[in-house]
Amino acid sequence: MTKTALQFRHNGRDVALFVDGGVNLLVALRELIGDMTPKFGCGQGGCGACSVLIDGELHLSCLTLAETVNGRAVETLDGLKDGPNLHPLQRAFMEQFAAQCGYCTPGMLMAAKALLDRNPSPSRAEVIEAISGNICRCTGYEPIINAVLAAASGGRARA
Amino acid sequence: MLELRKDIFADERDDNLKEIGRGTQRQDMLGHVTGTSTYFDDHKLQGMLHLKVLRSPHAHARLRRIDTMEAERSPGVRRIIRGADVPRNLNTLLSLINFGKDDEPSLAVDKVRYKGEPIVAIVADSPREAYEAMAKVRVDYEPLPAVFDVEEALKPGAPVVNETYPKNTFVYHDVYDHQKLRFGDVERGFAEADHVLEQRYQMSPIEHAPTETNGSIAAPDTNGRYVVYTSTQALFFSLDTCAKILDVPSNTFHFIGGTVGGGFGGKVDTLTEPLAILGAMLTGRPVRYQLGREEEMQFGSPRGAERIYIKDGVMRDGRIVARKIRAYFDSGAYTRLSSYAVVKCVAHLPGPYTIPNVHGDVYCVFTNRTPATAMRGFGVTAMDFALECQMDKLAHLVGIDPMEFRILNAYRDGDMKAHRREAKNTALIECVQVAAEKAKWPLREEVKRMSSRKDGGGSRAAISPTPIEPAPQRAAVSQQRTIYDRAPAATIQPAPPTPTPPPPRPPAPSPSHGATRFSSVFGTRRR
């Protein structure tokens, strides 16, 4: 099978790899690069567990052909913290009890980051809209919403 | 926010609650927010192969012929696994506690009994190559009439779903086609009642839909062992099930799990581990078997459907004097855990209420639907929905406030429960009182003063005279026992039915302690 050469920035680092035609970004990240933070939930764009940022925009890596990120910047949860220091969203998720099984958390955090990067002080409705593509089956949406709002307001929880 | 009502039952405990009511960080939270919590699929092993399963498109069909010749030659295929390759291709989950007969193959051989049932497993270098080979497997199906409704399945002439249980019902205590509860005389109760209300309730199957689908990765380890990364909710249960199906000692396996991407009961059935391990055994390579979302929905077991009939006799003053329940649990094509759900349901009847006459018949029924399994309170959840709907209707019928109606009929300390245990530490009255207060629901002063600890026992502790029903003829003991000594294969086959004397009565119950608490589950089978 013909392989395609591919180069992109992965969490600030340049990576180069060869992918089979039809391979999606989720598989490329997990199996070729070894970044296990994006998760497989459905492979159909229905759950948001594989959410990543491409050039700062939220995308579902399971529906993104790996070849299409050539020359672009891909961010995953693996790149969210700054060295040993957690991102404010990560701290807020911890403090607000915003994870149960943790499987949707990487996608939730990337969706929340995409929101706060473009809108640093969102309303509750805007937070709900921003994570509406991410399914949490432990149904912990309330603490997740509170965590995103808390991170936006610098750690102060808002009701 | 959590509110502690320490005023209720204050004298029953020391006021030394040091943890409840204050926040404590989860030990796995840092892993979750950094994405470093390791789920089964987060292991990348050298030379890992991928296992995919060909599933039945029919709800019920005979398998005339399975032709894998062309698939074997498909690029990237390392091994094709068929039913004959599975060392013990018949199992039931609760055989580990000697409850039920082996009724479910890992890979179907003669028949498929539900849509999505596994037939052939393909181990290939990549998922894509496995799928391509799967398209080349030829299966000759002879579709059979299927039954999807629990009551249809019990009618004479209904298709036999699972030949292990030819009457389409699980067999309790070697005799009964359902689990019974008899307490007092409901017919006398109905005759005395001012009103009788009979209603039908039902609940659809419910899919757990965990965000992480079921799956496992099995890899040859050193010393002939296998390491298994799995999504299971029940690590040792899955380990023992695999040891039985693969006919090896359980110390052959090193199971690693515990980080589960949502389970809710849908990850106790050991759906993927046996084939993943068998694939690793047959190829000598790590094998990954992960369900896709469609497989999770079609093949991953749901909470089972239930149909429930409740007939109640109630007096004008609000006392329920008789409750008769007939319920059907849809187990799907195989038993899995529905047999146990029925036992649990019957133990829960008639709900948290003191009713002098209770009659329960609950059936575990086989249909051509996806086998059902555990899910959050299974066995009790749908029944409670039905019972509480019924309570509202009864309250309306006799013109009593529904909150007060529940308080009036609630268990109190010292009452006799229908399964003949004294009610202790009851708290329903207080729960309803607090719920009413929170909802600003007015209760009469007299009802507000009622207590779980007052006015129980006495005549409420009596067991009403209970008519004895003739017992059906006890058939030959058909319940097989799983012995964990490695038995030669010949002894695994069920013995042909021979007339045997009735089994000896179980020994007298030993003094009550933890080990015998669940004896009602196992009936005569408790060791």
Side-chain angles (χ1 to χ4, degrees):
Chain A
M1 194 179 290
T2 320
K3 293 196 186 265
T4 306
L6 175 64
Q7 255 188 301
F8 60 95
R9 276 186 93 71
H10 170 245
N11 295 329
R13 250 180 66 223
D14 285 327
V15 291
L17 53 150
F18 290 98
V19 294
D20 292 330
V23 162
N24 65 40
L25 180 60
L26 177 64
V27 170
L29 288 169
R30 290 179 60 86
E31 295 179 15
L32 301 177
I33 294 178
D35 177 355
M36 294 297 183
T37 58
K39 302 295 179 195
F40 168 87
C42 66
Q44 305 166 351
C47 72
C50 67
S51 301
V52 298
L53 304 189
I54 302 174
D55 290 342
E57 270 192 12
L58 189 64
H59 283 268
L60 297 166
S61 62
C62 77
L63 294 187
T64 305
L65 280 177
E67 302 161 42
T68 64
V69 301
N70 196 31
R72 303 174 76 180
V74 176
E75 290 171 71
T76 70
L77 175 57
D78 193 41
L80 190 59
K81 65 185 170 65
D82 176 15
N85 303 315
L86 295 180
H87 186 278
L89 272 167
Q90 291 173 307
R91 278 205 307 276
F93 267 56
M94 288 190 78
E95 284 159 11
Q96 301 290 324
F97 201 79
Q100 286 185 47
C101 83
Y103 203 76
C104 73
T105 310
M108 283 288 181
L109 281 165
M110 296 322 284
K113 179 172 192 295
L115 170 70
L116 296 192
D117 284 352
R118 66 169 192 272
N119 177 1
S121 47
S123 68
R124 190 176 187 84
E126 286 166 333
V127 173
I128 292 170
E129 169 67 25
I131 62 165
S132 61
N134 295 69
I135 289 177
C136 165
R137 275 294 283 171
C138 308
T139 63
Y141 291 113
E142 277 301 307
I144 293 169
I145 296 163
N146 292 339
V148 178
L149 289 169
S153 58
R156 295 187 311 278
R158 295 198 313 203
Chain B
M1 272 290 102
L2 183 64
E3 180 201 354
L4 286 177
R5 288 292 296 264
K6 293 186 177 183
D7 53 314
I8 300 171
F9 306 120
D11 57 328
E12 288 190 9
R13 59 162 191 275
D14 299 330
D15 188 16
N16 59 354
L17 304 178
K18 293 190 177 62
E19 297 294 333
I20 294 173
R22 62 181 67 181
T24 297
Q25 189 52 269
R26 298 171 57 115
Q27 51 87 19
D28 54 2
M29 192 57 113
L30 184 62
H32 287 354
V33 301
T34 54
T36 52
S37 295
T38 309
Y39 301 87
F40 90 89
D41 195 35
D42 295 339
H43 296 89
K44 208 174 79 168
L45 304 179
Q46 180 61 34
M48 186 162 74
L49 306 176
H50 301 267
L51 186 150
K52 297 291 172 191
V53 168
L54 175 72
R55 303 183 179 282
S56 168
H58 297 282
H60 198 192
R62 202 168 302 290
L63 297 175
R64 285 207 197 101
R65 191 159 164 273
I66 303 169
D67 178 0
T68 56
M69 288 262 285
E70 201 189 332
E72 307 261 5
R73 291 195 298 266
S74 190
V77 170
R78 298 289 177 141
R79 176 78 197 210
I80 291 191
I81 306 174
R82 298 172 56 153
D85 299 315
V86 182
R88 296 179 68 171
N89 195 23
L90 208 58
N91 179 49
T92 191
L93 291 173
L94 292 179
S95 62
L96 296 180
I97 54 167
N98 291 322
F99 189 53
K101 298 183 233 181
D102 286 340
D103 66 344
E104 179 169 9
S106 295
L107 292 169
V109 175
D110 53 340
K111 234 176 88 163
V112 283
R113 299 175 175 87
Y114 67 97
K115 190 177 168 189
E117 180 159 3
I119 302 172
V120 169
I122 295 167
V123 184
D125 289 340
S126 67
R128 179 179 178 154
E129 286 163 317
Y131 285 127
E132 284 169 355
M134 192 190 296
K136 296 172 185 164
V137 177
R138 302 275 168 263
V139 181
D140 185 6
Y141 298 98
E142 177 192 336
L144 298 170
V147 60
F148 300 107
D149 181 273
V150 282
E151 289 180 89
E152 292 298 322
L154 298 186
K155 287 183 179 164
V160 174
V161 174
N162 184 334
E163 289 67 17
T164 309
Y165 294 104
K167 291 178 173 171
N168 289 342
T169 57
F170 185 80
V171 178
Y172 287 93
H173 313 287
D174 294 327
V175 181
Y176 300 104
D177 63 358
H178 62 283
Q179 180 79 357
K180 289 174 190 287
L181 173 70
R182 298 291 183 268
F183 180 73
D185 184 347
V186 278
E187 297 309 327
R188 210 189 60 214
F190 291 139
E192 290 168 1
D194 292 323
H195 299 279
V196 172
L197 178 70
E198 186 167 10
Q199 298 279 289
R200 172 186 190 266
Y201 301 90
Q202 62 182 11
M203 183 192 69
S204 303
I206 299 172
E207 166 60 35
H208 313 78
T211 319
E212 174 203 54
T213 56
N214 269 277
S216 51
I217 295 172
D221 204 347
T222 52
N223 302 330
R225 298 177 82 213
Y226 292 85
V227 61
V228 183
Y229 302 99
T230 162
S231 68
T232 185
Q233 282 178 251
L235 201 81
F236 292 94
F237 188 71
S238 291
L239 188 152
D240 285 340
T241 297
C242 289
K244 180 185 167 192
I245 290 173
L246 300 171
D247 202 18
V248 291
S250 54
N251 66 3
T252 309
F253 304 131
H254 177 191
F255 269 51
I256 298 173
T259 302
V260 178
F264 323 120
K267 286 179 179 160
V268 298
D269 282 3
T270 320
L271 293 175
T272 61
E273 297 90 335
L275 289 179
I277 299 169
L278 185 57
M281 287 174 162
L282 295 173
T283 63
R285 301 271 293 272
V287 171
R288 168 174 174 259
Y289 174 17
Q290 180 189 37
L291 298 188
R293 180 55 57 186
E294 188 182 349
E295 287 177 299
E296 184 72 38
M297 302 297 272
Q298 179 67 58
F299 162 66
S301 7
R303 180 200 287 282
E306 294 177 27
R307 182 171 301 147
I308 296 165
Y309 295 90
I310 306 178
K311 183 178 179 184
D312 283 337
V314 63
M315 307 305 289
R316 264 181 225 102
D317 62 10
R319 282 175 298 126
I320 305 170
V321 291
R323 171 162 283 175
K324 185 175 186 178
I325 289 173
R326 185 162 46 96
Y328 304 93
F329 282 32
D330 189 344
S331 183
Y334 299 107
T335 307
R336 303 265 176 99
L337 304 177
S338 297
S339 52
Y340 162 70
V342 164
V343 174
K344 190 168 147 195
C345 175
V346 171
H348 178 65
L349 298 179
Y353 305 107
T354 295
I355 300 175
N357 303 293
V358 183
H359 182 114
D361 288 328
V362 184
Y363 295 76
C364 172
V365 184
F366 298 103
T367 66
N368 293 107
R369 304 217 286 190
T370 302
T373 191
M375 185 176 189
R376 295 184 161 185
F378 73 131
V380 168
T381 319
M383 182 57 79
D384 263 344
F385 156 75
L387 289 174
E388 294 308 319
C389 290
Q390 185 83 357
M391 292 300 283
D392 280 345
K393 291 175 186 173
L394 292 173
H396 181 77
L397 192 63
V398 295
I400 294 179
D401 175 271
M403 293 273 206
E404 294 189 1
F405 184 70
R406 285 173 172 82
I407 290 176
L408 186 66
N409 285 287
Y411 280 150
R412 297 168 189 229
D413 283 358
D415 288 1
M416 182 55 66
K417 298 200 269 188
H419 54 285
R420 296 170 174 75
R421 293 281 191 281
E422 184 191 330
K424 291 174 185 165
N425 299 318
T426 58
L428 179 61
I429 292 176
E430 287 71 15
C431 282
V432 178
Q433 286 165 339
V434 172
E437 179 192 319
K438 297 280 176 201
K440 299 185 171 50
W441 187 280
L443 294 180
R444 284 179 294 131
E445 279 308 314
E446 163 193 2
V447 175
K448 281 185 191 166
R449 281 194 303 272
M450 288 183 179
S451 159
S452 289
R453 293 193 295 191
K454 284 192 300 194
D455 306 319
S459 64
R460 296 165 64 106
I463 301 174
S464 320
T466 304
I468 303 294
E469 297 171 18
Q473 196 67 39
R474 185 172 283 264
V477 177
S478 49
Q479 209 101 30
Q480 105 286 343
R481 285 152 196 262
T482 301
I483 305 300
Y484 267 81
D485 304 327
R486 292 292 123 205
T491 63
I492 294 160
Q493 303 303 324
T498 48
T500 47
R505 299 300 304 164
S510 48
S512 176
H513 56 77
T516 59
R517 277 175 64 201
F518 300 106
S519 60
S520 61
V521 174
F522 313 128
T524 55
R525 238 152 317 292
R526 181 161 55 83
R527 283 180 290 190

